[in-house]
Amino acid sequence: MKNTLRRLPKLWCFVIVFWLGNTGSIQAQSNGNYKTPPKAIADLVNAPVTPSVSFSRMGDFMLILERSGNPSIEELSQPELRIAGVRINPATNSPSRGITYESIKIKKLKEASEKEISGLPQNPKMSGFSLSKDEKHMVFTNASNTGISLWLVDLTTFQAKKLTDEIVNLANGGAVVWTPDNRILLKAIHPKRGQMPKTPLAPSGPNMQETAGNAAPSRTYQDLLSNPHDEALFEYFMNSQLISLGLDGSQNAVGPSGMIKSMDLSPDGKYIMVDVIKRPFSYLVPASRFPYDVEIWDMEGNKIKTLAQIPLDENRPSGFDATVTGPRSINWRADKPAMLYWVEAQDGGDPKVAMEEREIVFTLDAPFTNEKSKLVSTAYRFSGINWSDDNFALLNERWFSTRQEKISLINPSKPGENKKEIFSRSSDDIYNDPGNPVFTLNQYGKNVLLRNGDEVFMTSEGGSSEGSMPFLSSYNVKTKAQKILWRSQAPYYERVVKVLNENATEFITVKESTDIQPNYWIVNTRKRIAPMQITEFSHPYASIKGISKELVRYKRKDGLDLSAVVYTPSGYDAAKDGRLPVLMWAYPREYKSAEIASQVRGSKYQFTRLNWGSPIYWVTQGYAIMDQTEMPIVGEGADEPNDTFVDQLVGNAEAAIDYIVNSGVGDRDKIAVGGHSYGAFMTANLLSHSQLFAAGIARSGAYNRTLTPFGFQYEQRTYWEAPDVYNTMSPFMNAHKVKTPILLVHGEADNNSGTFPIQSERYYNALKGHGATTRLVFLPHESHGYSAKESILHTLYEQHEWLEKWVKNK
């Protein structure tokens, strides 16, 4: 049976499930067809999808993008190449999975009507929407069964037309850039690349790897290259040619063909920065870490300069604060016509090396013939610059190990001068988060800081002990004083998504409440006029509009404050209706401060949005739901959170159970726990180390940490540095302790780092061998998240049957 399981992904079989009865024997279930959950749950899954919205850069109109529900399993079963950490549809030279849209509407913000686009392709699968600099035109890509074409929309006539044949190369990210003169720079399939390499009937020799003794710790990646044929396929699908397109469809080749990773146009439109992948490839890391050259071309494709030759990134030091040597994060300055900036680590990329000047940011201006200039240095790792003009920019830096981040004011016209720290905080601290800067467009059409002198406009989630109440503010970089200009008010959760004027008195918000579908509004704080609603998206879940939602707080036995969101059925009254079975859903998070771990996250006023993995469906079946149940794991100072992972995890669960039981809602004997990914890992650990629950549901988890020996989640130490931590935290090592029924679900094509499908297979075998009550469900063609409608409905069916048998009707 074990060998059969190993062969499942290659057999492309339907869902195979295994059942362990109380006698300890194993039986294959004969009926492997997809099933559906109760109608109340299925109807929610099949509810209409709310349209997506995208605003023009100037904010005068919006795109309303509509799509149908989840794809079918037939669509998901199309041929797929999994090479170098990339998943490609070989028929279309594009990613094998992604969201596409079927309809576009244009809506002027202050007009009631919506404009339909005529001339769209038949049976459209549109994506990659991109507006020209003057916002009079828009392009999008359209996928057929044989390739990707580029289409053009005239936004003055609302007419679409096909601009190219199926030549777009989307195998490795974005393919379209607008020039200032309304031309389009397109990454196309190299027209002379020939036929796709055929799989050899026999190998030419053994597959070999060799190391010269340099340490190369690496996270556990999926879908890596494994042989010369994989290499040939990768090179074939990455082979691209840049093309300059006119609005009339005229085409000119730009520069030489090659494995073009990305391209970026200088703000003045005179130069192209092109990243070109080169050999040698790696069998240890994905394509994002392959060697590449950073070249600067003119608009005719002539190479002006090779700015950097980035080597293969296999030998990076361990730890989340580790990085590569040499130039990285190479970008154009948004406030200059054609000036590049980048950062270089001075510590060899090793966070264990103590240095005051850990990183240096350099610049180089066109025509790129001078030497690079030092702009500023950082004590932490560089994490970006928000530009305004030649006298004002905000420098961001972070240090993961301590969760510290800081932002400093710099004067780009005076390189090397002391920067002024604006604020510093823990990146986990949501109560003291001043927010993110608001941007506006400069003369080059690039995003720069929206500010008024020393005041920078910011939007924040507005974390507080009462939950999130988002706000818009101005932050004075000299006085460090923050002035709240507008804040969300109860009983709504409302946040600013687009500022429309230079003094931030007019802006667009998205407003929602527990039973009110998110919609967009125009708010003006200067004029005494009521906010104006600009979309009217309807509530997609009418059947659960009456359910109760409450953000609750309680304490762990060591005094740590915890929270969860509790849902109960419509009309439920604990005093009259008695106790309910409970489904608790959670995801552990690590913190370096108990005070910050205690902060309340989320809002009781947010709309109850369902997705394929939500536990809220079971409120329709008479369950109480504890969602977003906080499971903080804290390690302060020199202590690492995972040193006491199990004790803290069990303490979190005990506190949550005590709350739901003492509130009169939950039945202590009928509580299930579940989670996805690291939440599945949590679930298996709780069932190994406690007898608190009636059942568990673990989806797409990792259960044996020796299979992720160079770190996992936020654990930076390797297995050899902390073997006791790895072994104690591994449910596989503690499978003999599990006495509670546990349902395991896993996507057969999981590509998430560390959560190989073999994790569930081996854990299932370990549970089976020790007489546990368990069930394993493999979902064909599904990745870490599930997308086919049949897979989602079947997963909900499996979860429902498990909960009914082992919890409600225990």
Side-chain angles (χ1 to χ4, degrees), residues 699-719:
R699 295 191 319 235
S700 299
Y703 309 105
N704 183 347
R705 286 303 169 195
T706 67
L707 297 179
T708 56
F710 288 105
F712 58 90
Q713 201 67 3
Y714 289 153
E715 177 57 63
Q716 301 188 84
R717 296 167 294 184
T718 70
Y719 173 78

Side-chain angles (χ1 to χ4, degrees), residues 83-88 171-172 221-225 234-235 238 259 261 275-278 280-292 310-313:
I83 47 175
V86 182
R87 294 192 167 183
I88 299 170
N172 194 45
Y221 296 108
Q222 311 272 47
D223 301 340
L224 299 178
L225 298 178
F234 176 77
E235 191 163 23
M238 295 296 152
M259 291 183 285
K261 182 178 183 179
D275 293 350
V276 184
I277 299 172
K278 60 184 182 180
F281 300 148
S282 172
Y283 291 11
L284 294 178
V285 295
S288 59
R289 294 173 68 168
F290 286 3
Y292 63 96
I310 310 298
L312 175 63
D313 182 14

Side-chain angles (χ1 to χ4, degrees), residues 19-331:
W19 174 260
L20 181 64
N22 293 329
T23 63
S25 64
I26 185 169
Q27 299 174 337
Q29 181 171 305
S30 59
N31 187 354
N33 296 328
Y34 288 105
K35 295 183 173 63
T36 58
K39 185 177 184 301
I41 294 177
D43 286 347
L44 290 171
V45 174
N46 294 324
V49 178
T50 301
S52 298
V53 166
S54 178
F55 292 97
S56 65
R57 289 190 296 275
M58 298 301 294
D60 55 337
F61 68 89
M62 61 196 296
L63 306 180
I64 299 176
L65 309 174
E66 298 178 333
R67 65 182 179 90
S68 58
N70 299 94
S72 68
I73 191 64
E74 182 179 357
E75 293 176 79
L76 204 66
S77 303
Q78 298 303 307
E80 178 181 64
L81 287 175
R82 304 171 188 173
I83 47 175
V86 182
R87 294 192 167 183
I88 299 170
N89 182 334
T92 62
N93 219 107
S94 67
S96 57
R97 298 158 192 251
I99 294 175
T100 60
Y101 296 90
E102 300 168 350
S103 171
I104 319 170
K105 295 177 182 178
I106 307 293
K107 179 177 174 60
K108 298 280 187 179
L109 261 59
K110 297 182 179 181
E111 295 180 8
S113 61
E114 298 172 353
K115 301 289 187 181
E116 297 276 357
I117 303 295
S118 60
L120 292 176
Q122 291 186 343
N123 303 314
K125 293 183 179 179
M126 300 177 289
S127 61
F129 303 93
S130 178
L131 293 168
S132 62
K133 302 299 182 183
D134 61 9
E135 300 196 331
K136 293 181 179 179
H137 298 88
M138 177 178 70
V139 291
F140 62 86
T141 57
N142 183 65
S144 73
N145 293 329
T146 55
I148 309 292
S149 55
L150 190 69
W151 288 65
L152 176 72
V153 179
D154 185 326
L155 293 176
T156 61
T157 63
F158 305 102
Q159 175 71 37
K161 69 175 183 179
K162 187 177 181 180
L163 199 60
T164 73
D165 293 329
E166 293 176 335
I167 62 172
V168 182
N169 190 340
L170 288 176
N172 194 45
V176 174
V177 175
W178 281 94
T179 69
D181 58 350
N182 274 357
R183 290 189 69 83
I184 300 153
L185 198 61
L186 176 70
K187 183 168 65 172
I189 296 168
H190 183 216
K192 298 180 180 179
R193 67 178 179 177
Q195 297 295 312
M196 184 174 72
K198 294 183 178 180
T199 305
L201 295 176
S204 59
N207 298 320
M208 295 170 285
Q209 299 185 49
E210 182 178 357
T211 178
N214 295 320
S218 181
R219 304 279 281 190
T220 309
Y221 296 108
Q222 311 272 47
D223 301 340
L224 299 178
L225 298 178
S226 60
N227 55 57
H229 179 62
D230 284 352
E231 295 187 50
L233 286 172
F234 176 77
E235 191 163 23
Y236 175 82
F237 283 102
M238 295 296 152
N239 195 355
S240 303
Q241 173 68 58
L242 293 191
I243 293 175
S244 175
L245 284 171
L247 299 183
D248 59 357
S250 59
Q251 301 182 10
N252 296 309
V254 178
S257 62
M259 291 183 285
I260 297 175
K261 182 178 183 179
S262 64
M263 58 176 176
D264 192 17
L265 201 63
S266 62
D268 63 4
K270 294 182 179 180
Y271 301 96
I272 314 168
M273 179 170 60
V274 183
D275 293 350
V276 184
I277 299 172
K278 60 184 182 180
R279 289 179 178 268
F281 300 148
S282 172
Y283 291 11
L284 294 178
V285 295
S288 59
R289 294 173 68 168
F290 286 3
Y292 63 96
D293 289 345
V294 182
E295 300 178 350
I296 308 301
W297 299 358
D298 63 22
M299 291 306 293
E300 284 70 48
N302 301 305
K303 184 167 71 172
I304 304 299
K305 184 181 184 66
T306 298
L307 183 72
Q309 294 181 312
I310 310 298
L312 175 63
D313 182 14
E314 275 190 349
N315 300 323
R316 188 183 300 190
S318 62
F320 289 105
D321 290 312
T323 190
V324 297
T325 57
R328 73 174 200 277
S329 301
I330 306 172
N331 290 287

Side-chain angles (χ1 to χ4, degrees), residues 326-344:
R328 73 174 200 277
S329 301
I330 306 172
N331 290 287
W332 298 105
R333 271 184 60 168
D335 63 324
K336 289 287 187 179
M339 178 180 283
L340 292 161
Y341 72 100
W342 66 89
V343 65
E344 296 182 22

Side-chain angles (χ1 to χ4, degrees), residues 556 633 641-653 681 685-686 688-690 724-725 727-731 734 737:
R556 200 164 74 180
I633 310 296
N642 285 340
D643 291 343
T644 53
F645 177 87
V646 169
D647 289 343
Q648 292 193 63
L649 192 66
V650 172
N652 293 330
F681 172 75
N685 264 300
L686 284 171
S688 295
H689 300 288
S690 76
D724 290 342
V725 170
N727 289 324
T728 300
M729 289 180 68
S730 292
N734 298 281
K737 300 177 182 178

